[in-house]
Amino acid sequence: MGRWEPNARGRLVQAAFALYGERGFEQTKVAEIAERAGLTERTFFRHFADKREVLFAGADALRELLVSTVAKAPVSLAPIDAAAAGLEAAGALIQEGQDLAQQRQAIITASAELQERELIKLASLASALAEALRQRGVNDPAASLTAEAGIAVFKVAFERWVDKPSQRDLPRLIRESLDELKAVTAGR
Amino acid sequence: MGRWEPNARGRLVQAAFALYGERGFEQTKVAEIAERAGLTERTFFRHFADKREVLFAGADALRELLVSTVAKAPVSLAPIDAAAAGLEAAGALIQEGQDLAQQRQAIITASAELQERELIKLASLASALAEALRQRGVNDPAASLTAEAGIAVFKVAFERWVDKPSQRDLPRLIRESLDELKAVTAGR
């Protein structure tokens, strides 16, 4: 792929997010996204299967970063801390695109269909995290529980962050939420 | 409502579950469910909005039991243990209908649409649990984290139970999963 490819993709994402915010997700057509980005519909479909997938385009990269960070974490780390390292890396990646993350959240919150899709993506993130922990030799149910608890920590931290992304640090909120989970499970 | 009402409802559930298992959820029509139950389509629609809702008919009762058990738990209980009391009560209710629970799980596992629906119901269970904890004076993010972690515990326990429901005790598995979560968050 040539150098223009990432630019086209980025322009399509920005155009789509802007239109979803202005008109609503349901009311926006692919042709309008392409036009706003100064590209053709054909180019849109070279990058995305449909208009919904524009909103979940980052999910694969996020999952890969999560899994590879867990895999590379020092063997001395306890499973929950290996999971936390992966989730903090994912949080840092999300934070790099904080304006898009905030726009995206507003679009998703406005649509029941998109909220469902978000839940599915989170569930598949939990499955990938559990599998990465099993690869480290963690047995079940510990692997599943650590992964599910890790995603819960991530979700709560993300919700606190996304309201005011420029004023808060997402990886730090993830670490704080994990500390809070440790406190609540210890019965405090 | 007369005494026949719960019977009609129960017959519709059994007929629907049997047909979904035999033919698949997608392939089953409401008319066929009604016929199998010896009832009319009109009666079906007096009980259920559509054929999908038959599978989630127990969700409201489950949520109410969860919430009321958390509300009635001794004030001395830590938030995580109040949540566990609610989840164990919900587990006991599910266990009462263990044959239906097992049939239901096989039907849901076979359908992406139903799996999405299940995730949404679990997310709304987590919200209800968080709200019940706030009513006990638990602040956020502790309330949200305890609820999300509690639902993670419930999910993992349920998955272990539903394979062989007659050989295992769901409330006990919930308690064991919580103990496991306490161990993993303590870094063990």
Side-chain angles (χ1 to χ4, degrees):
Chain A
M1 288 199 282
R3 271 207 65 180
W4 61 274
E5 286 275 349
N7 286 339
R9 193 180 169 90
R11 271 153 65 197
L12 287 164
V13 170
Q14 288 191 328
F17 280 31
L19 285 164
Y20 297 163
E22 290 164 23
R23 304 180 190 182
F25 172 75
E26 299 291 347
Q27 287 72 44
T28 302
K29 292 191 175 67
V30 166
E32 295 166 330
I33 299 169
E35 193 192 345
R36 173 78 63 108
L39 297 163
T40 63
E41 273 193 76
R42 211 178 132 197
T43 302
F44 178 94
F45 287 115
R46 211 160 46 222
H47 291 279
F48 304 104
D50 55 40
K51 66 175 185 172
R52 193 178 67 173
E53 282 311 300
V54 183
L55 289 159
F56 298 96
D60 288 349
L62 205 66
R63 192 184 57 240
E64 281 162 28
L65 179 62
L66 171 63
V67 165
S68 67
T69 307
V70 171
K72 283 182 290 191
V75 282
S76 61
L77 279 192
I80 190 74
D81 294 311
L87 293 165
E88 284 173 51
L93 181 64
I94 291 172
Q95 189 156 273
E96 279 177 30
Q98 63 180 43
D99 293 342
L100 283 179
Q102 196 174 23
Q103 275 182 61
R104 179 183 177 279
Q105 194 61 21
I107 297 158
I108 287 175
T109 303
S111 158
E113 179 202 337
L114 295 175
Q115 285 173 45
E116 295 185 15
R117 189 76 195 154
E118 182 84 327
L119 285 173
I120 293 156
K121 291 284 181 180
L122 274 175
S124 88
L125 215 55
S127 297
L129 178 52
E131 186 51 34
L133 291 167
R134 282 181 211 112
Q135 295 289 328
R136 287 176 65 90
V138 182
N139 293 324
D140 269 315
S144 304
L145 275 167
T146 305
E148 294 282 350
I151 295 299
V153 158
F154 179 81
K155 204 175 147 186
V156 168
F158 180 81
E159 281 165 10
R160 292 170 73 195
W161 172 78
V162 78
D163 276 343
K164 293 176 182 168
S166 61
Q167 293 171 33
R168 293 174 190 159
D169 185 65
L170 182 52
R172 186 181 170 155
L173 282 173
I174 291 168
R175 174 58 63 181
E176 286 174 6
S177 289
L178 176 60
D179 289 343
E180 183 81 28
L181 177 71
K182 290 178 179 184
V184 298
T185 53
R188 291 197 291 275
Chain B
M1 288 199 284
R3 273 209 64 181
W4 61 274
E5 285 275 349
N7 286 339
R9 191 180 171 89
R11 272 153 64 198
L12 286 164
V13 169
Q14 287 191 328
F17 280 31
L19 286 165
Y20 297 164
E22 289 164 23
R23 303 179 190 182
F25 173 74
E26 299 291 346
Q27 288 72 43
T28 302
K29 292 190 175 68
V30 166
E32 296 167 329
I33 299 168
E35 193 191 345
R36 173 79 64 108
L39 296 162
T40 62
E41 275 193 76
R42 211 178 132 196
T43 302
F44 178 94
F45 287 114
R46 207 156 52 218
H47 291 280
F48 303 104
D50 55 41
K51 67 176 184 172
R52 194 178 66 174
E53 281 312 299
V54 183
L55 290 159
F56 299 95
D60 288 348
L62 205 65
R63 193 184 57 239
E64 281 161 29
L65 180 62
L66 172 63
V67 165
S68 67
T69 307
V70 171
K72 283 182 289 192
V75 281
S76 61
L77 279 192
I80 191 73
D81 294 312
L87 293 165
E88 284 173 50
L93 181 64
I94 291 172
Q95 190 157 275
E96 279 177 30
Q98 63 179 44
D99 293 341
L100 283 179
Q102 195 174 22
Q103 276 182 61
R104 179 183 178 280
Q105 194 61 20
I107 297 159
I108 287 175
T109 303
S111 158
E113 179 201 337
L114 295 175
Q115 284 174 46
E116 295 185 14
R117 190 76 195 154
E118 183 85 328
L119 285 174
I120 293 156
K121 291 284 181 182
L122 275 176
S124 89
L125 215 55
S127 297
L129 178 52
E131 186 51 34
L133 291 167
R134 283 183 209 110
Q135 294 289 329
R136 288 176 65 90
V138 183
N139 293 323
D140 270 313
S144 304
L145 275 167
T146 305
E148 295 282 349
I151 295 300
V153 158
F154 179 82
K155 203 174 147 186
V156 169
F158 180 81
E159 281 164 13
R160 292 170 71 193
W161 172 79
V162 79
D163 277 342
K164 292 175 181 169
S166 60
Q167 294 171 34
R168 294 174 188 159
D169 185 64
L170 182 53
R172 186 182 171 154
L173 282 173
I174 290 169
R175 174 58 63 181
E176 286 174 5
S177 289
L178 177 59
D179 289 343
E180 183 81 29
L181 177 70
K182 289 178 178 183
V184 297
T185 53
R188 289 197 291 276

